[in-house]
């Protein structure tokens, strides 16, 4: 037996020694990746260490880490980073809770009527992000917006509220639009995960006289943990890059009160034409995205074991 094992190991080592370290079949893919992904990243890193402004007639000059030093003392950058964290994790957290609650409420409801309601609940997910942004922008209008009209008619407020023109209300208002569009995604995914729970487990819990909350807490939530974690990480990465909704609703204003990192990079590059400094912010933004992507891959690997 030991001799057979040794022979097998020798064969495996010999085969591994003769296999090429790079398969020629993947070369086209590597070339495409190098051009489409690698070149922009390398060029952005090269720009981030230069003083390059299109409005400046002088040629771009190497400044080393000066852009990164400036970035460390830039209050707008830190404000944009804080807005990105609040917008991303706040929207994903509330959307996940709403999607979970809707999935649990609709779990045992059947019939044509409830199928129609289920389809209606999924509708916001199908609406394009720009349409969602303009829809809520008109709903938030100070004069003539439906939200202020309802609040005034019910006596909750005495004067119209400038939802998108207030530095304290603008970000929560944009988050509400984002949550409305994102909650159906969690509802759809968690409904599918609930339907995959084995009936034997549910029946055993019923035999043990588990109550509603006990059934949810001890039986269903453990089954939903992995789908919830993976979908949340996907949405965190997606929201970290969200530009369309914020730009269509507030353009990062008033001031910089709703500017996230992606909006700040856009304003630096295409309004102030500071490509060198914008690239430095973009590199930091890219590093954060890579960390999130690494966490996502680790979670996927843990789930597959």
């Amino acid at each position: 037996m030991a001799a057979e094992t040794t022979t097998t190991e020798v064969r495996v080592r010999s085969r591994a020694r003769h296999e090429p370290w790079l398969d020629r079949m993947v070369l086209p893919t590597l070339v495409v990746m190098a051009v489409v992904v690698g070149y922009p990243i390398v060029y952005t890193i090269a720009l981030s260490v230069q003083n390059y402004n299109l409005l400046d007639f002088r040629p771009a000059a190497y400044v080393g880490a000066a852009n990164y030093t400036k970035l460390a003392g830039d209050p707008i950058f830190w404000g944009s980073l804080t807005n990105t964290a609040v917008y991303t994790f706040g929207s994903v957290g509330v959307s996940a809770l709403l999607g979970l609650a809707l999935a649990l409420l609709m779990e045992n409801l059947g019939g044509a009527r409830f199928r129609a309601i289920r389809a209606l609940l999924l509708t916001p997910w199908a609406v394009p992000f720009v349409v969602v942004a303009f829809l809520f922008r008109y709903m938030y209008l100070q004069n003539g917006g439906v939200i202020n009209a309802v609040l005034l008619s019910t006596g909750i407020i005495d004067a119209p509220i400038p939802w998108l023109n207030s530095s304290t209300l603008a970000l929560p208002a944009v988050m509400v639009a984002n949550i409305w569009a994102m909650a159906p995604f969690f509802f759809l995914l968690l409904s599918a995960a609930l339907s995959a729970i084995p009936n034997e487990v549910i029946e055993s819990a019923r035999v043990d006289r588990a109550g509603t909350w006990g059934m949810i807490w001890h039986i269903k939530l453990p089954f939903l943990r992995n789908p919830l974690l993976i979908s949340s990480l996907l949405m965190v990465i997606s929201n970290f890059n969200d530009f369309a909704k914020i730009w269509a609703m507030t353009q990062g204003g008033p001031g910089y009160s709703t500017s996230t990192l992606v909006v700040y990079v856009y304003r630096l590059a295409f309004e102030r034409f500071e490509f060198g400094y914008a690239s430095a912010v973009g590199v930091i933004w890219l590093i954060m995205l890579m960390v999130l992507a690494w966490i996502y891959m680790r979670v996927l690997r843990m789930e597959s074991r």
Side-chain angles (χ1 to χ4, degrees), residues 16 45 61 68 79 83 135 184 194 198 201 209 220 223:
I45 294 172
Y68 293 96
N83 287 341
L135 176 68
L194 279 172
V201 177
R209 297 183 179 180
K220 294 180 180 177
F223 277 95

Side-chain angles (χ1 to χ4, degrees), residues 19-304:
E19 283 183 355
W21 66 275
L22 180 63
D23 193 340
R24 285 179 297 178
M25 296 297 289
V26 301
L27 277 176
T29 306
L30 287 179
V31 171
V32 171
M33 291 289 288
V35 173
V36 175
V37 180
Y39 175 73
I41 291 175
V42 172
Y43 190 62
T44 302
I45 294 172
L47 278 179
S48 72
V49 292
Q50 296 180 37
N51 181 18
Y52 181 37
N53 191 325
L54 278 184
L55 300 180
D56 194 342
F57 293 106
R58 291 172 298 181
Y62 176 76
V63 293
N67 283 330
Y68 293 96
T69 308
K70 179 182 173 184
L71 192 146
D74 183 356
I76 300 175
F77 167 74
W78 292 109
S80 300
L81 186 61
T82 305
N83 287 341
T84 304
V86 171
Y87 178 79
T88 300
F89 294 105
S91 297
V92 172
V94 175
S95 300
L97 287 176
L98 276 176
L100 176 63
L102 288 172
L104 290 170
L105 285 171
M106 299 290 293
E107 180 187 6
N108 297 318
L109 301 179
R113 187 190 309 169
F114 292 108
R115 280 198 295 274
I117 294 174
R118 195 184 294 266
L120 196 63
L121 287 172
L122 292 173
T123 304
W125 178 247
V127 179
F129 290 158
V130 175
V131 177
V132 171
F134 279 104
L135 176 68
F136 274 83
R137 185 174 170 177
Y138 288 115
M139 288 170 64
Y140 282 131
L141 281 177
Q142 187 172 355
N143 296 313
V146 66
I147 294 176
N148 273 329
V150 170
L151 293 176
L152 284 169
S153 64
T154 53
I156 296 175
I157 59 174
D158 298 325
I161 297 175
W163 295 101
L164 297 180
N165 294 323
S166 164
S167 59
T168 54
L169 295 176
L171 186 59
V174 176
M175 286 172 63
V176 168
N178 193 32
I179 291 166
W180 181 82
M182 192 167 43
F185 169 78
F186 286 99
F187 167 61
L188 178 66
L189 195 139
L190 295 176
S191 294
L194 279 172
S195 65
I197 298 176
N199 286 329
E200 295 80 3
V201 177
I202 301 294
E203 291 301 326
S204 299
R206 284 177 181 157
V207 169
D208 292 338
R209 297 183 179 180
T212 303
W213 289 111
M215 182 84 79
I216 292 172
W217 188 258
H218 296 292
I219 305 297
K220 294 180 180 177
L221 283 185
F223 277 95
L224 298 179
R225 186 185 60 187
N226 286 340
L228 197 55
L229 186 58
I230 291 172
S231 57
S232 298
L233 278 170
L234 272 177
M235 285 297 104
V236 163
I237 294 171
S238 172
N239 279 270
F240 208 78
N241 294 314
D242 192 6
F243 176 82
K245 279 196 287 291
I246 298 172
W247 189 256
M249 289 183 75
T250 63
Q251 296 189 346
Y256 287 91
S257 58
T258 58
S259 278
T260 55
L261 280 182
V262 61
V263 173
Y264 188 42
V265 169
Y266 179 84
R267 294 176 83 167
L268 283 172
F270 299 106
E271 289 184 353
R272 291 159 58 176
F273 300 104
E274 296 181 9
F275 283 95
Y277 189 48
S279 299
V281 179
V283 169
I284 300 298
W285 173 36
L286 178 65
I287 291 171
M288 291 179 181
L289 274 176
M290 289 176 70
V291 170
L292 290 173
W294 178 78
I295 294 172
Y296 175 69
M297 297 300 292
R298 291 282 298 177
V299 170
L300 278 183
R301 193 175 300 172
M302 287 169 61
E303 192 192 21
S304 63

